[in-house]
Amino acid sequence: MAQQDGTTGSKRITGLSKSDAADRVVDADDSRDPDTVRAVLSHVTEDGAVTADGVDSAVTDTSMILSTAETRVELASIDLDDARKAAGDDAAVGAVRSRLDVFEAKVTNATERVESLGEELQGLTDWRDDPRSVYDIVLGLREVASEAQALTAHADDIQLDVEEFERWLSNHDVRVRGLDGDLAALEQSLDGLAGRVEAVANAESSEDSADAAEGADDDRATEWCNAALRARVSALLVEDVRAELDDLRELAPESDAATDGLDEAAADLDEHGARVQRLRERLDGLARPSWTDEYGARIESFEETLAAFEPPVSWGEVQAELDDARVGSEA
């Protein structure tokens, strides 16, 4: 059933000045923002008036924009196929397989999105016989065009990521530099965890030297629990980086020089792993019976949840689990 908004049938806004057309659209639905309406109508305005030719041109322009997105998504898919072929037997190595799986998911999602946009555009093409208002048609075209442009950029990013992956796959030094970056990020994360542990320790010292404000112990218990949760995540991070290291050893060329960087990385990783253990022990030493009574089961449950994750770890899922487990707004 056509909308009774004064913009369909014989009262379509085509032929009106943009100003009059905008007024009619807003009068039909006062929830619409006048500036937004005028901006949308500007895409189908010629010589100051909203025209049928302008709407036709908008359909054509949107089709071209979507066609570009389709092409870029197809190219990303081709690049992924090439990368998979380049990986060959190495595709079975965890570090390689996980990267290919991520690209596969992104390309599949992009393909589904571009197909969905094509269906939406098809439904807007025969706008003269459409019961929807001209404004809603134009708005729909703008939304398809905007999403198609975003999808084009996304597909381009996928291509760049696949190209970077191929460089990583073919160059041992690039892989080692990537591992070094992971180790640096791990060290920074442990620095942050150490700061949280010290904050719990310092708060306890402060309480010992002065009368505690009401609720101070609850705050320390919360900080202690959240630090303990993060310590468990840090242990998993060490395990994940160690698995990456093992995979890079498998991918490394058979030469003594190729293992030099990996041996150094292994030593650093051992040090980080020992640091995680020390921080966990420090937290255990700071714990009070009331804290473990209140949060011990939560921490144990989170630890069991993390045990289900195996390298290569999906860190988005881990972060979601941490967000659910942590106490209060701070992790």
Side-chain angles (χ1 to χ4, degrees):
M1 180 177 179
Q3 298 177 16
Q4 302 302 313
D5 61 359
T7 58
T8 60
S10 61
K11 293 185 178 180
R12 284 180 180 269
I13 58 176
T14 52
L16 297 178
S17 68
K18 184 173 73 172
S19 178
D20 289 344
D23 289 343
R24 181 173 292 185
V25 170
V26 173
D27 287 344
D29 184 351
D30 59 13
S31 68
R32 291 165 173 160
D33 176 64
D35 290 336
T36 300
V37 171
R38 284 190 289 271
V40 171
L41 293 179
S42 66
H43 294 283
V44 293
T45 298
E46 298 178 343
D47 297 328
V50 175
T51 67
D53 287 344
V55 180
D56 288 336
S57 294
V59 171
T60 300
D61 292 345
T62 303
S63 297
M64 293 177 63
I65 293 171
L66 181 56
S67 178
T68 298
E70 291 170 340
T71 299
R72 300 297 176 80
V73 170
E74 184 177 357
L75 290 174
S77 179
I78 292 172
D79 284 355
L80 175 57
D81 288 340
D82 291 343
R84 192 179 289 108
K85 292 175 183 176
D89 293 339
D90 288 338
V93 177
V96 178
R97 184 184 67 251
S98 63
R99 286 165 168 82
L100 289 173
D101 287 347
V102 169
F103 296 140
E104 180 71 35
K106 288 182 177 181
V107 168
T108 297
N109 176 262
T111 300
E112 292 174 351
R113 285 174 61 192
V114 82
E115 290 175 352
S116 177
L117 290 177
E119 293 174 359
E120 290 182 37
L121 178 58
Q122 185 60 40
L124 296 166
T125 301
D126 298 327
W127 64 274
R128 286 178 173 80
D129 297 324
D130 198 302
R132 287 172 292 182
S133 69
V134 170
Y135 177 77
D136 284 338
I137 294 294
V138 178
L139 184 60
L141 291 171
R142 295 309 306 160
E143 290 173 349
V144 169
S146 177
E147 290 186 34
Q149 289 171 329
L151 187 53
T152 294
H154 178 57
D156 288 344
D157 287 342
I158 295 174
Q159 285 186 270
L160 292 173
D161 289 344
V162 172
E163 291 174 5
E164 180 62 29
F165 163 74
E166 290 185 301
R167 285 192 290 273
W168 175 90
L169 183 66
S170 63
N171 191 307
H172 175 72
D173 290 338
V174 171
R175 294 194 294 271
V176 173
R177 286 198 296 272
L179 181 63
D180 289 342
D182 291 340
L183 288 168
L186 174 56
E187 182 176 11
Q188 184 176 13
S189 176
L190 293 182
D191 288 344
L193 175 60
R196 289 173 179 271
V197 174
E198 287 306 311
V200 175
N202 291 337
E204 182 178 43
S205 298
S206 176
E207 182 194 53
D208 291 342
S209 60
D211 292 336
E214 185 176 355
D217 188 65
D218 290 340
D219 291 341
R220 285 197 308 282
T222 295
E223 288 297 321
W224 172 83
C225 176
N226 287 333
L229 295 174
R230 290 189 69 91
R232 271 65 178 176
V233 172
S234 295
L236 180 60
L237 182 54
V238 169
E239 181 182 343
D240 193 47
V241 177
R242 194 178 301 281
E244 175 88 0
L245 172 61
D246 291 342
D247 288 341
L248 295 198
R249 287 192 185 280
E250 187 172 349
L251 294 171
E254 295 181 359
S255 69
D256 292 339
T259 63
D260 289 344
L262 297 181
D263 290 342
E264 183 177 344
D268 290 342
L269 187 57
D270 288 342
E271 183 178 335
H272 292 328
R275 188 182 183 192
V276 171
Q277 184 59 34
R278 290 195 300 271
L279 289 171
R280 289 185 59 167
E281 291 172 355
R282 182 82 187 282
L283 284 168
D284 290 343
L286 291 170
R288 296 184 174 186
S290 60
W291 300 357
T292 55
D293 288 345
E294 183 172 3
Y295 295 121
R298 178 192 294 258
I299 295 171
E300 290 179 5
S301 176
F302 182 65
E303 196 162 15
E304 291 174 0
T305 297
L306 292 186
F309 288 90
E310 296 182 355
V313 175
S314 172
W315 287 104
E317 294 180 19
V318 170
Q319 183 62 51
E321 294 290 350
L322 176 60
D323 290 341
D324 287 341
R326 66 183 181 177
V327 183
S329 59
E330 297 292 334

